[in-house]
Amino acid sequence: MLIYDTLISYDDDLEMIPWLAEAWTVSADGMSVTFTIREGATWHDGTALTPADVKFTFDHHKAAPADANYWSLLQHTTTITVSGQVVTVVFDEPFTFAVDNLGSMHLLPKHIREGVAADAAVWDDATNVTAHIGSGPFKFVSRTPSEFIQMERNDDWWGPDNPYVGQLPNIESLRIDVVLGQDARILAMRSGEADTERYEVFGAYVNSILNAPELQLVTGVVSQWDYVLGFNTTVAPFDDPDVRDAIALGIDRQELINIGRLGFGTPTNSCIPAEFFPAYFDNDGAFPTQDIDAAIDLLNDTYTDGDEDGFFDDLDFDLWVLSWDDISVATGTGIKLQLAKIGIDCNVKVMDDGPMYEGIYAEPRAFIAYEMSHGYSAVPDHVWWRMHSDNIVDWGDNCYGLSDTAVDTHLDDFVGATPATIAAAARQVQLDCLEHKPFIPLFLSDDTHAMRAEWVNFTTPPGGPFTSFNPRAMVFMYDSGLVTEPPTGVDWVLVIGIGAGALIVGVIVTYLFMKKK
C-alpha cells in the first residue's frame, strides 16, 4: 500500500476519493468505466507513469494465474483502451463495484514488468530493488524475509499536488520488523525499539498496554474483521436447516464479545452489517436475538436425548478455531458454552492456519463448522464470494456448500446492480442469508492498537498505521514534538486493515527520522 499506488483511495467515511485517477465515470448501462489519470506522476526510478501503465496492470492481472487478486473480475473485461490520459475498461456484463475494484489494484510499471510472468520468481527476490519499484509515498530499500523490510520516503511523490493529501509523508524512513510473540512486541514498544505494531492487541494483553506508562491503547471504532460461525451445509448435522436455525437462536453476541474480545467488539446481525455498511443494511435481514426456549423447541421436533446426558443425540461436532488468533479461540469457547444451553455439544478444536484453511477452502471440504474472522473490503462484495455456488475466486470459494439457484441469481443481481437497484438487491441478499444461514454473523472486532504514548495520530477514522483503506494515515503521522505530555485517554481511533490472506504472526513498526512539515 505504501510502495504501490492505486487509482482511487478512500476518505474517512470510506467514500472514494481521487488518487492516481483524478476522475472516473461509469456508463449508464454499467458496462464501461473510464479513469482520467493524473499527469506528472513518476515511478520510483524516475520514469513517467502513464495511462499505458494502468492498462498494462489490468492486462497483467487478467493474464495472471487464476488465484490472483481481481482475476475473476478481469475475465469479464472485453476491451481495455487508452486515449490521451483516459483509460476505458469495457465489461461483458455490469459490475456494481467495478470502480472500487479496478481502482484498488496496485499499479505496476510496464517498463519493468512487461514480458515477465506474473508469478515469476523475480517478484519474490528480496535483493532485487528494481523488482519492487512502485509510485507510492515510500520506496523499497531492502528486505530480509521473515526479519524486516526497510522503506524510505519518496520525495518525488505526487501527493503534494493532490488536494486530498497536499504534502509528502512526515516520516522519512520506515522499517517493519517481524517479532514473534505479543510479549516480545510489547517489550520492544516499551523500550522504545518500536513505535507501534501492525496487528490488534488480543485478550489479556489489552490490560498490559493500559498498565504500561510508555504506551497508549488506541481504540474506539470497529475494525474490518468480521467474526462468523460457518457451517458445512453438505454434511450432518448442518445439512438440516433446523439445526442452523436453532444455533442462530442460541447465540448471545454480546456475551461472545465479552468472552472473546473482553468487550471490545460490536455485535453484527446481518451478512451486510449496518456497523460497516450502513447504506446497504436492511433490518429485514437481521438475525434473531437469543431465544433458548425457541431453539430447544425447534430441535425437539426431530432430535432426542436418548442417554439423558443433557445433549441431543447426533448433535455433536468439532468446531475449528484459529490457533494464533486469541479472539477466535476464546470466542469458540463462548460458543461451546452457549450451545450447551440448547442441548448441542461441540468440541472446540484449535487449528493452525495451514490445515485449517486447507480444510475449509479446498475440495473436498474437511470441516464441519468453524469460527474465525473474515476481512471486509470497502464494499460489501464479500457476500458473493461467501454464498455463490459458482465462485472461483481465491479465498472466496463457497466453503459452506450452499447451492441454490435463486440465491445465485440474487447475488448476481447484487453485484450487477445499478445505483437505482442496489438497495433492493442488497436487501434480498440479506434475506437469503437469513433464510439459509450458511454462516451466522457474530461481531466486528473493535480496534485495540498499541502505540508509544508520545505518538499522536491526527488522521481521523479510519486512519492508522497500515489501515487497508487510507494510506494517508502514514502520510499524516506526526512526531512527539506536537504534544507536551502523553495522552490521558483513548482519543484517537485507528482502523487497521490487511489483505484477507495476510496472516503473519506479528510485526513491529519502527519510525525513524520524524519531521513535521
Side-chain angles (χ1 to χ4, degrees):
M1 182 184 70
L2 301 177
I3 294 174
Y4 297 91
D5 275 319
T6 55
L7 291 175
I8 66 165
S9 189
Y10 293 90
D11 67 11
D12 303 332
D13 297 314
L14 293 186
E15 297 293 331
M16 290 185 291
I17 58 174
W19 209 243
L20 270 175
E22 292 185 310
W24 55 85
T25 60
V26 180
S27 63
D29 61 4
M31 299 282 280
S32 68
V33 176
T34 64
F35 294 98
T36 302
I37 309 305
R38 177 181 302 277
E39 295 187 67
T42 61
W43 297 102
H44 292 157
D45 63 358
T47 303
L49 188 155
T50 71
D53 293 301
V54 178
K55 171 178 164 52
F56 169 78
T57 299
F58 295 159
D59 290 335
H60 183 76
H61 282 73
K62 183 174 182 177
D67 62 352
N69 289 337
Y70 307 107
W71 181 91
S72 183
L73 165 69
L74 290 167
Q75 303 316 300
H76 291 282
T77 59
T78 58
T79 62
I80 302 172
T81 58
V82 173
S83 177
Q85 290 299 117
V86 176
V87 178
T88 301
V89 182
V90 179
F91 292 89
D92 59 14
E93 59 185 32
F95 183 59
T96 308
F97 307 112
V99 172
D100 297 82
N101 280 257
L102 293 173
S104 297
M105 294 177 64
H106 293 95
L107 299 179
L108 305 174
K110 179 180 179 181
H111 67 286
I112 293 174
R113 299 248 178 175
E114 190 171 32
V116 185
D119 56 354
V122 65
W123 312 128
D124 290 325
D125 183 352
T127 65
N128 189 336
V129 175
T130 302
H132 309 299
I133 283 178
S135 64
F138 289 88
K139 297 179 180 180
F140 175 89
V141 175
S142 64
R143 170 176 172 252
T144 298
S146 300
E147 293 187 20
F148 74 91
I149 181 172
Q150 181 79 36
M151 291 172 270
E152 66 182 12
R153 185 171 68 189
N154 173 19
D155 288 336
D156 295 321
W157 189 49
W158 50 267
D161 297 326
N162 185 336
Y164 290 92
V165 184
Q167 66 171 71
L168 292 174
N170 291 304
I171 299 166
E172 295 180 354
S173 182
L174 170 65
R175 177 183 168 111
I176 306 172
D177 286 295
V178 178
V179 177
L180 304 184
Q182 182 71 82
D183 289 301
R185 294 193 292 276
I186 291 176
L187 181 61
M189 287 185 285
R190 294 195 66 177
S191 67
E193 295 177 21
D195 294 292
T196 187
E197 63 175 339
R198 178 178 180 183
Y199 280 93
E200 295 176 87
V201 180
F202 292 156
Y205 287 106
V206 168
N207 289 327
S208 298
I209 303 302
L210 292 174
N211 292 326
E214 305 91 347
L215 305 180
Q216 61 168 312
L217 184 72
V218 189
T219 188
V221 295
V222 297
S223 74
Q224 71 176 115
W225 295 108
D226 166 40
Y227 283 81
V228 304
L229 172 58
F231 307 117
N232 185 341
T233 64
T234 67
V235 299
F238 299 117
D239 56 351
D240 182 352
D242 285 346
V243 174
R244 306 198 299 270
D245 288 344
I247 289 178
L249 289 166
I251 295 296
D252 181 337
R253 290 168 175 79
Q254 187 57 54
E255 183 179 69
L256 292 181
I257 291 170
N258 294 340
I259 294 173
R261 197 63 185 95
L262 297 183
F264 291 98
T266 301
T268 54
N269 64 356
S270 168
C271 64
I272 303 180
E275 295 74 18
F276 210 80
F277 303 109
Y280 299 103
F281 171 75
D282 193 290
N283 195 59
D284 289 345
F287 277 62
T289 56
Q290 188 182 53
D291 189 333
I292 300 297
D293 292 337
I296 294 173
D297 288 344
L298 190 59
L299 296 174
N300 272 328
D301 292 339
T302 306
Y303 300 92
T304 59
D305 179 12
D307 56 7
E308 298 182 348
D309 64 351
F311 295 102
F312 288 105
D313 300 337
D314 302 320
L315 290 187
D316 58 281
F317 61 92
D318 284 343
L319 174 65
W320 289 7
V321 296
L322 188 57
S323 61
W324 63 264
D325 184 351
D326 292 353
I327 301 173
S328 177
V329 175
T331 301
T333 301
I335 291 172
K336 177 181 177 66
L337 296 172
Q338 291 184 0
L339 296 189
K341 297 177 182 178
I342 63 172
I344 294 179
D345 186 21
C346 76
N347 170 48
V348 178
K349 188 173 183 180
V350 179
M351 303 280 290
D352 289 336
D353 48 14
M356 183 166 179
Y357 300 150
E358 182 75 13
I360 292 173
Y361 295 114
E363 294 283 4
R365 313 299 184 198
F367 83 103
I368 305 298
Y370 76 86
E371 176 272 317
M372 67 174 181
S373 67
H374 292 275
Y376 287 134
S377 71
V379 294
D381 54 359
H382 62 281
V383 291
W384 196 91
W385 54 257
R386 280 190 182 178
M387 298 196 297
H388 200 290
S389 64
D390 191 35
N391 183 21
I392 60 172
V393 181
D394 186 39
W395 285 96
D397 291 297
N398 179 14
C399 58
Y400 307 126
L402 183 65
S403 183
D404 186 282
T405 302
V407 172
D408 287 351
T409 298
H410 297 153
L411 289 166
D412 289 338
D413 289 343
F414 176 61
V415 297
T418 66
T421 63
I422 183 65
R427 175 182 180 275
Q428 182 59 61
V429 167
Q430 291 169 79
L431 291 174
D432 288 339
C433 187
L434 176 62
E435 176 184 356
H436 294 278
K437 297 182 180 67
F439 69 94
I440 296 175
L442 302 175
F443 60 87
L444 289 164
S445 174
D446 289 357
D447 190 25
T448 54
H449 227 80
M451 300 184 74
R452 288 283 301 177
E454 67 267 19
W455 274 85
V456 178
N457 185 336
F458 283 86
T459 306
T460 53
F466 294 104
T467 175
S468 287
F469 310 121
N470 190 353
R472 295 175 303 145
M474 294 302 291
V475 174
F476 292 121
M477 290 293 289
Y478 286 83
D479 65 18
S480 59
L482 291 178
V483 292
T484 56
E485 59 185 18
T488 56
V490 182
D491 298 324
W492 297 275
V493 293
L494 310 175
V495 172
I496 312 300
I498 55 175
L503 299 169
I504 304 170
V505 175
V507 293
I508 282 284
V509 183
T510 303
Y511 304 112
L512 305 174
F513 310 114
M514 310 302 177
K515 183 174 70 174
K516 181 183 174 184
K517 286 286 290 183

